[in-house]
PDB file of all heavy atoms in Angstrom:
ATOM      1  N   ALA A 585      -2.277  -9.446  -5.385  1.00  0.00           N
ATOM      2  CA  ALA A 585      -1.115  -9.529  -4.490  1.00  0.00           C
ATOM      3  C   ALA A 585       0.139  -9.972  -5.238  1.00  0.00           C
ATOM      4  O   ALA A 585       1.252  -9.555  -4.907  1.00  0.00           O
ATOM      5  CB  ALA A 585      -1.414 -10.486  -3.344  1.00  0.00           C
ATOM      6  N   ASP A 586      -0.032 -10.800  -6.260  1.00  0.00           N
ATOM      7  CA  ASP A 586       1.136 -11.321  -6.981  1.00  0.00           C
ATOM      8  C   ASP A 586       1.642 -10.347  -8.041  1.00  0.00           C
ATOM      9  O   ASP A 586       2.614 -10.620  -8.723  1.00  0.00           O
ATOM     10  CB  ASP A 586       0.807 -12.683  -7.605  1.00  0.00           C
ATOM     11  CG  ASP A 586      -0.358 -12.604  -8.599  1.00  0.00           C
ATOM     12  OD1 ASP A 586      -1.201 -11.691  -8.472  1.00  0.00           O
ATOM     13  OD2 ASP A 586      -0.418 -13.452  -9.505  1.00  0.00           O
ATOM     14  N   ARG A 587       0.962  -9.206  -8.212  1.00  0.00           N
ATOM     15  CA  ARG A 587       1.394  -8.193  -9.188  1.00  0.00           C
ATOM     16  C   ARG A 587       1.375  -6.817  -8.528  1.00  0.00           C
ATOM     17  O   ARG A 587       0.495  -6.000  -8.793  1.00  0.00           O
ATOM     18  CB  ARG A 587       0.448  -8.181 -10.407  1.00  0.00           C
ATOM     19  CG  ARG A 587       0.576  -9.363 -11.330  1.00  0.00           C
ATOM     20  CD  ARG A 587       1.594  -9.098 -12.417  1.00  0.00           C
ATOM     21  NE  ARG A 587       1.964 -10.341 -13.106  1.00  0.00           N
ATOM     22  CZ  ARG A 587       3.103 -10.512 -13.752  1.00  0.00           C
ATOM     23  NH1 ARG A 587       3.988  -9.541 -13.819  1.00  0.00           N
ATOM     24  NH2 ARG A 587       3.366 -11.652 -14.339  1.00  0.00           N
ATOM     25  N   PRO A 588       2.354  -6.530  -7.679  1.00  0.00           N
ATOM     26  CA  PRO A 588       2.325  -5.276  -6.917  1.00  0.00           C
ATOM     27  C   PRO A 588       2.460  -4.016  -7.775  1.00  0.00           C
ATOM     28  O   PRO A 588       2.209  -2.912  -7.278  1.00  0.00           O
ATOM     29  CB  PRO A 588       3.513  -5.410  -5.958  1.00  0.00           C
ATOM     30  CG  PRO A 588       4.392  -6.432  -6.571  1.00  0.00           C
ATOM     31  CD  PRO A 588       3.513  -7.373  -7.338  1.00  0.00           C
ATOM     32  N   ASP A 589       2.835  -4.175  -9.042  1.00  0.00           N
ATOM     33  CA  ASP A 589       2.987  -2.979  -9.888  1.00  0.00           C
ATOM     34  C   ASP A 589       1.958  -2.928 -11.004  1.00  0.00           C
ATOM     35  O   ASP A 589       2.154  -2.285 -12.026  1.00  0.00           O
ATOM     36  CB  ASP A 589       4.406  -2.911 -10.462  1.00  0.00           C
ATOM     37  CG  ASP A 589       4.692  -4.056 -11.417  1.00  0.00           C
ATOM     38  OD1 ASP A 589       3.876  -5.009 -11.485  1.00  0.00           O
ATOM     39  OD2 ASP A 589       5.728  -4.011 -12.100  1.00  0.00           O
ATOM     40  N   PHE A 590       0.821  -3.608 -10.823  1.00  0.00           N
ATOM     41  CA  PHE A 590      -0.185  -3.618 -11.896  1.00  0.00           C
ATOM     42  C   PHE A 590      -1.585  -3.494 -11.312  1.00  0.00           C
ATOM     43  O   PHE A 590      -1.940  -4.232 -10.398  1.00  0.00           O
ATOM     44  CB  PHE A 590      -0.061  -4.917 -12.700  1.00  0.00           C
ATOM     45  CG  PHE A 590      -0.942  -4.984 -13.927  1.00  0.00           C
ATOM     46  CD1 PHE A 590      -1.068  -3.889 -14.776  1.00  0.00           C
ATOM     47  CD2 PHE A 590      -1.630  -6.146 -14.237  1.00  0.00           C
ATOM     48  CE1 PHE A 590      -1.871  -3.956 -15.914  1.00  0.00           C
ATOM     49  CE2 PHE A 590      -2.435  -6.221 -15.375  1.00  0.00           C
ATOM     50  CZ  PHE A 590      -2.555  -5.122 -16.214  1.00  0.00           C
ATOM     51  N   ALA A 591      -2.363  -2.536 -11.830  1.00  0.00           N
ATOM     52  CA  ALA A 591      -3.789  -2.384 -11.517  1.00  0.00           C
ATOM     53  C   ALA A 591      -4.030  -2.042 -10.043  1.00  0.00           C
ATOM     54  O   ALA A 591      -4.294  -2.919  -9.217  1.00  0.00           O
ATOM     55  CB  ALA A 591      -4.579  -3.637 -11.931  1.00  0.00           C
ATOM     56  N   GLY A 592      -3.974  -0.759  -9.738  1.00  0.00           N
ATOM     57  CA  GLY A 592      -4.213  -0.285  -8.383  1.00  0.00           C
ATOM     58  C   GLY A 592      -5.661   0.142  -8.172  1.00  0.00           C
ATOM     59  O   GLY A 592      -6.335   0.585  -9.098  1.00  0.00           O
ATOM     60  N   VAL A 593      -6.120  -0.019  -6.923  1.00  0.00           N
ATOM     61  CA  VAL A 593      -7.453   0.465  -6.551  1.00  0.00           C
ATOM     62  C   VAL A 593      -7.252   1.698  -5.676  1.00  0.00           C
ATOM     63  O   VAL A 593      -6.559   1.650  -4.659  1.00  0.00           O
ATOM     64  CB  VAL A 593      -8.252  -0.613  -5.795  1.00  0.00           C
ATOM     65  CG1 VAL A 593      -9.650  -0.095  -5.454  1.00  0.00           C
ATOM     66  CG2 VAL A 593      -8.339  -1.886  -6.633  1.00  0.00           C
ATOM     67  N   VAL A 594      -7.864   2.816  -6.110  1.00  0.00           N
ATOM     68  CA  VAL A 594      -7.609   4.117  -5.486  1.00  0.00           C
ATOM     69  C   VAL A 594      -8.713   4.455  -4.501  1.00  0.00           C
ATOM     70  O   VAL A 594      -9.891   4.247  -4.772  1.00  0.00           O
ATOM     71  CB  VAL A 594      -7.573   5.228  -6.562  1.00  0.00           C
ATOM     72  CG1 VAL A 594      -7.268   6.589  -5.923  1.00  0.00           C
ATOM     73  CG2 VAL A 594      -6.560   4.901  -7.645  1.00  0.00           C
ATOM     74  N   ASP A 595      -8.306   5.023  -3.389  1.00  0.00           N
ATOM     75  CA  ASP A 595      -9.256   5.499  -2.388  1.00  0.00           C
ATOM     76  C   ASP A 595      -8.946   6.962  -2.081  1.00  0.00           C
ATOM     77  O   ASP A 595      -7.782   7.365  -2.131  1.00  0.00           O
ATOM     78  CB  ASP A 595      -9.073   4.646  -1.120  1.00  0.00           C
ATOM     79  CG  ASP A 595     -10.414   4.385  -0.456  1.00  0.00           C
ATOM     80  OD1 ASP A 595     -11.441   4.642  -1.097  1.00  0.00           O
ATOM     81  OD2 ASP A 595     -10.406   3.931   0.700  1.00  0.00           O
ATOM     82  N   GLY A 596      -9.970   7.732  -1.767  1.00  0.00           N
ATOM     83  CA  GLY A 596      -9.733   9.099  -1.312  1.00  0.00           C
ATOM     84  C   GLY A 596      -9.742  10.149  -2.410  1.00  0.00           C
ATOM     85  O   GLY A 596      -9.203  11.240  -2.217  1.00  0.00           O
ATOM     86  N   VAL A 597     -10.349   9.840  -3.550  1.00  0.00           N
ATOM     87  CA  VAL A 597     -10.478  10.841  -4.614  1.00  0.00           C
ATOM     88  C   VAL A 597     -11.956  11.005  -4.965  1.00  0.00           C
ATOM     89  O   VAL A 597     -12.660  10.012  -5.153  1.00  0.00           O
ATOM     90  CB  VAL A 597      -9.692  10.420  -5.884  1.00  0.00           C
ATOM     91  CG1 VAL A 597      -9.918  11.424  -7.012  1.00  0.00           C
ATOM     92  CG2 VAL A 597      -8.211  10.296  -5.587  1.00  0.00           C
TER      93      VAL A 597
END
Side-chain angles (χ1 to χ4, degrees):
D586 60 335
R587 288 270 166 204
D589 65 349
F590 186 43
V593 182
V594 182
D595 217 13
V597 176

